[in-house]
């Protein structure tokens, strides 16, 4: 909080955002009330942020312990290594607590290749007007223009599942372009803690780790 100035009635003048000095008697009552409240909220927010960061480190460390033990047990039982990608979940003994980790890849897309892929998909769909291809058309539209105006990797992966079924040259070319257009720049693991409810469903405890 070194760059934060907390002012009170002890200060004869207050300094505003432009650096102007204002006599205390001219400070509006609302601003006098907001000053200590803002300071208190900031202190509490920083404290909670630190606690959340510490807990994030702990849950990752504890999860890794269990994950490593699971891999070791698998090798002992089956005599080979096990590789897990995407997500992994474990429970306490009576399954009232669920701990989940989801691995999300951050993907960079080659714009030129994706534009050509879209053209190839459009060429295929224009020549094959079947009811079955309406699903493909919807996936293509969603993949190339999601709600954030970005490539939707989930929809891309759904399209690629049809690669073995649809042998059309344009469709095959589009799938190849999409595969080659992807570059994984980094991966991030998202941790979640769930608690079982009376009806058997699980409630996700709201821990916003996304920015940590």
């Amino acid at each position: 909080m070194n760059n934060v100035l907390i002012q009170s009635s002890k200060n004869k003048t207050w300094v505003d955002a432009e650096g102007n000095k204002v006599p205390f008697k001219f400070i509006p009552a609302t601003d006098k009330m907001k000053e200590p409240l803002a300071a208190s909220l900031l202190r509490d927010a920083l404290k909670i942020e630190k606690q959340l960061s510490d807990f994030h480190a702990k849950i990752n460390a504890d999860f890794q312990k269990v994950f490593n033990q699971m891999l070791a047990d698998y090798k002992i039982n089956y005599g080979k290594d096990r590789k897990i990608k995407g997500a992994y979940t474990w429970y306490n003994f009576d399954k009232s607590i669920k701990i989940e980790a989801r691995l999300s890849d951050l993907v960079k897309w080659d714009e030129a290749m994706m534009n050509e892929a879209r053209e190839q998909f459009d060429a295929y769909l224009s020549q094959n007007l079947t009811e079955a291809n309406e699903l493909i058309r919807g996936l293509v539209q969603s993949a190339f223009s999601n709600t954030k105006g970005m490539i939707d990797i989930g929809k891309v992966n759904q399209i690629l599942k049809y690669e073995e079924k649809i042998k059309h040259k344009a469709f095959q070319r589009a799938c190849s372009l999409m595969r080659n257009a992807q570059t994984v720049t980094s991966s991030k693991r998202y941790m979640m803690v769930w608690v079982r409810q009376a009806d058997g469903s699980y409630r996700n405890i709201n821990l916003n780790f996304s920015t940590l």
Side-chain angles (χ1 to χ4, degrees), residues 12-154:
K12 292 182 179 180
T13 59
W14 283 21
V15 180
D16 66 14
E18 285 73 37
N20 301 312
K21 293 183 177 181
V22 181
F24 178 75
K25 64 181 180 179
F26 294 132
I27 303 297
T30 302
D31 287 337
K32 292 176 181 177
M33 180 181 69
K34 289 190 296 185
E35 193 75 1
L37 293 178
S40 176
L41 290 171
L42 176 60
R43 283 192 292 267
D44 290 345
L46 290 172
K47 182 179 179 181
I48 292 170
E49 182 186 53
K50 176 64 165 57
Q51 291 173 339
L52 189 62
S53 179
D54 291 345
F55 180 71
H56 185 250
K58 173 178 169 51
I59 193 174
N60 272 283
D62 290 349
F63 182 91
Q64 197 63 46
K65 289 178 185 177
V66 173
F67 187 76
N68 291 342
Q69 185 61 53
M70 181 276 298
L71 293 178
D73 291 346
Y74 187 88
K75 187 165 186 177
I76 291 172
N77 293 331
Y78 299 99
K80 58 183 178 180
D81 292 326
R82 182 180 182 184
K83 294 182 179 180
I84 297 177
K85 293 185 66 177
Y88 178 67
T89 302
W90 53 269
Y91 301 82
N92 68 326
F93 195 66
D94 76 344
K95 294 192 181 326
S96 59
I97 302 170
K98 178 170 70 171
I99 311 296
E100 181 181 11
R102 295 179 185 173
L103 188 64
S104 178
D105 290 335
L106 299 179
V107 178
K108 182 178 180 180
W109 300 90
D110 184 291
E111 186 175 352
M113 294 178 74
M114 291 302 287
N115 287 337
E116 186 180 348
R118 179 63 189 267
E119 292 174 1
Q120 293 293 320
F121 279 128
D122 289 343
Y124 163 72
L125 291 168
S126 66
Q127 299 171 25
N128 297 270
L129 300 176
T130 65
E131 185 175 339
N133 279 337
E134 285 305 307
L135 173 61
I136 302 295
R137 186 185 303 277
L139 287 174
V140 169
Q141 290 175 345
S142 298
F144 286 84
S145 181
N146 67 13
T147 55
K148 296 181 180 179
M150 300 166 62
I151 301 298
D152 188 324
I153 190 169

Side-chain angles (χ1 to χ4, degrees), residues 5 10 14 17 55 81 116 124 163 170 182 185 189 200 202:
L5 177 61
K10 296 179 181 179
W14 283 21
F55 180 71
D81 292 326
E116 186 180 348
Y124 163 72
E163 192 173 8
Q182 302 180 44
T185 56
R189 186 164 67 184
Y202 286 86

Side-chain angles (χ1 to χ4, degrees), residues 190-203:
Y190 295 91
M191 304 296 304
M192 287 167 283
V193 180
W194 304 74
V195 60
R196 191 174 62 201
Q197 305 298 287
D199 63 359
S201 64
Y202 286 86
R203 180 180 72 84

